[in-house]
């Protein structure tokens, strides 16, 4: 199997270059920020819980390790529409990030609680003290670094392009003038909407979806020409509809995933220490092979 985890010790961050493509953006779905539905790892998204007792401290640097230990649980916020990193399996939320987060919680001697919300709401939720950390296949970007502290990166990824099997789109520049679906608030969204104006390609229209799978459905039905989504997620989507969609060989970006903590959090160093030990012990590889097919 190809090794995808980065050497955590060498985690010098290359700034994510937000090259993007000029276009107009339209919002496809209205389901915004499903608020702070704090649920147990095994519970489903929609349980609107008003469980204030589990709220992380509102102080900007988040709860301390002592506070978390005293509480007996650590709260992860994510968006479980991102197989294989976090997704629903019946009532459970599972995936690579969930297993890593559980291993971190185990190491800290606390329970893991998962709050599943819209991806674009994860950073605001962390900043509001509603969670202790984000694990959401989140790519490190300079923009996000203004609002959160990232751990060392634990995964290499890229933005991939999904098109119908018979599409005439064969490369990134073929996206020029086309209608492209993205997941709201992701790096694929910023890239295609050309947030920083540095794009070399120019998408015609960007449609935003809360769920990557819905955009894939619209590619299949011909409502949109392509979807831009993280490569491993793209692989899973194609795996389920191999006769209808395919992933292009050419990717749009190179990105690194990391977990995010409140700015100034004392947990970041602890997380890095644990991530390193999970890598050294082979546990990260084990988790990877559980969710990714060998190549
Ligand atoms: N890697 C992309 C980003 O950071 C997409 C992440 C989406 N994650 C999710 N759990 N829905 O913007």
């Amino acid at each position: 199997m190809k090794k995808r985890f980065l050497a955590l010790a060498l985690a010098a961050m290359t700034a994510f270059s937000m090259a993007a493509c000029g276009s107009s953006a339209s919002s496809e779905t209205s389901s915004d920020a499903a608020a702070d539905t704090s649920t147990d790892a095994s519970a489903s998204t929609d349980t609107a819980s008003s469980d204030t007792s589990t709220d992380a401290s509102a102080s900007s640097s988040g709860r301390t390790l002592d506070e978390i230990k005293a509480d007996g649980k650590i709260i992860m916020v994510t968006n479980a529409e991102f197989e294989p990193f976090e997704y629903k399996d019946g009532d459970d939320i599972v995936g690579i990030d969930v297993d890593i987060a559980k291993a971190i919680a185990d190491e800290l001697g606390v329970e893991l609680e998962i709050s599943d919300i819209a991806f674009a709401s994860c950073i605001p939720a962390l900043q509001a003290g509603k969670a202790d950390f984000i694990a959401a296949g989140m790519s490190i970007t300079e923009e996000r670094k203004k609002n959160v502290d990232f751990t060392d990166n634990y995964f290499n990824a890229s933005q991939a392009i999904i098109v119908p099997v018979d599409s005439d789109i064969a490369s990134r520049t073929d996206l020029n003038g086309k209608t492209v679906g993205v997941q709201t608030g992701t790096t694929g969204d910023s890239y295609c909407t050309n947030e920083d104006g540095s794009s070399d390609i120019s998408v015609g229209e960007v449609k935003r979806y809360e769920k990557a799978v819905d955009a894939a459905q619209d590619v299949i039905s011909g409502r949109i020409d392509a979807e831009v989504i993280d490569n491993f997620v793209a692989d899973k989507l194609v795996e389920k509809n191999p006769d209808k969609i395919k992933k292009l060989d050419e990717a749009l970006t190179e990105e690194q995933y990391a977990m995010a903590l409140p700015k100034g959090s004392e947990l970041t160093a602890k997380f890095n220490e644990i991530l390193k030990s999970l890598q050294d012990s082979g546990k990260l590889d084990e988790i990877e092979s559980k969710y990714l097919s060998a190549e």
Side-chain angles (χ1 to χ4, degrees):
M1 166 178 308
K2 209 173 99 202
K3 207 159 157 48
R4 301 180 187 86
F5 284 115
L6 295 187
L8 291 163
L10 303 174
M13 292 301 86
T14 48
F16 170 61
S17 101
M18 196 73 91
C21 40
S23 71
S24 63
S26 74
S27 223
E28 173 70 5
T29 58
S30 58
S31 81
D32 59 348
D36 50 310
T37 50
S38 257
T39 66
D40 281 39
S42 58
S44 70
T45 339
D46 307 315
T47 1
S49 130
S50 54
D51 189 0
T52 46
S53 65
T54 65
D55 268 10
S57 147
S59 82
S60 60
S61 58
R63 297 198 296 177
T64 62
L65 200 50
D66 285 346
E67 284 167 336
I68 289 167
K69 283 187 172 163
D71 187 29
K73 66 185 168 203
I74 190 161
I75 306 169
M76 153 179 161
V77 66
T78 194
N79 167 253
E81 301 294 344
F82 203 66
E83 185 178 356
F85 289 88
E86 42 271 329
Y87 59 103
K88 283 158 211 134
D89 181 12
D91 283 345
D92 293 337
I93 295 174
V94 298
I96 294 172
D97 284 333
V98 176
D99 281 13
I100 297 176
K102 276 187 182 147
I104 291 174
D106 278 353
E107 203 57 46
L108 297 175
V110 295
E111 292 295 312
L112 177 70
E113 179 173 307
I114 301 178
S115 168
D116 176 26
I117 65 176
F119 181 71
S121 303
C122 288
I123 289 181
L126 187 73
Q127 289 181 303
K130 289 174 178 154
D132 297 305
F133 69 104
I134 303 171
M138 182 171 273
S139 306
I140 298 168
T141 72
E142 290 307 313
E143 194 53 38
R144 290 173 180 162
K145 275 190 197 169
K146 293 178 190 161
N147 297 312
V148 299
D149 282 351
F150 282 108
T151 62
D152 291 338
N153 47 320
Y154 62 91
F155 225 89
N156 285 318
S158 63
Q159 291 301 308
I161 304 165
I162 296 178
V163 296
V165 278
D166 58 357
S167 174
D168 54 1
I169 298 172
S171 69
R172 54 191 285 146
T173 47
D174 290 340
L175 291 178
N176 289 344
K178 294 288 200 287
T179 301
V180 178
V182 299
Q183 199 191 10
T184 309
T186 60
T187 46
D189 183 354
S190 319
Y191 188 94
C192 288
T193 46
N194 193 15
E195 265 183 4
D196 73 352
S198 67
S199 179
D200 57 334
I201 57 173
S202 180
V203 167
E205 189 190 346
V206 176
K207 286 201 169 159
R208 295 198 168 110
Y209 297 80
E210 292 308 312
K211 305 178 183 185
V213 69
D214 290 345
Q217 213 44 60
D218 277 359
V219 173
I220 291 169
S221 71
R223 290 190 65 214
I224 58 177
D225 300 308
E227 171 176 5
V228 167
I229 191 72
D230 298 53
N231 57 326
F232 298 108
V233 180
D235 288 338
K236 290 289 175 193
L237 292 169
V238 169
E239 224 172 86
K240 286 176 184 140
N241 295 284
D243 49 336
K244 301 202 173 77
I245 49 176
K246 64 182 180 192
K247 185 183 85 172
L248 297 188
D249 290 337
E250 192 177 21
L252 294 169
T253 60
E254 295 302 328
E255 306 182 5
Q256 289 96 38
Y257 293 167
M259 297 193 179
L261 295 107
K263 269 213 139 334
S265 169
E266 66 167 44
L267 293 178
T268 309
K270 189 75 194 161
F271 268 53
N272 282 338
E273 206 179 280
I274 298 173
L275 282 170
K276 177 88 172 64
S277 74
L278 292 173
Q279 185 181 51
D280 292 347
S281 69
K283 177 77 179 168
L284 286 186
D285 284 336
E286 196 185 292
I287 293 172
E288 173 182 331
S289 16
K290 180 171 157 195
Y291 291 97
L292 298 176
S293 41
E295 270 173 13

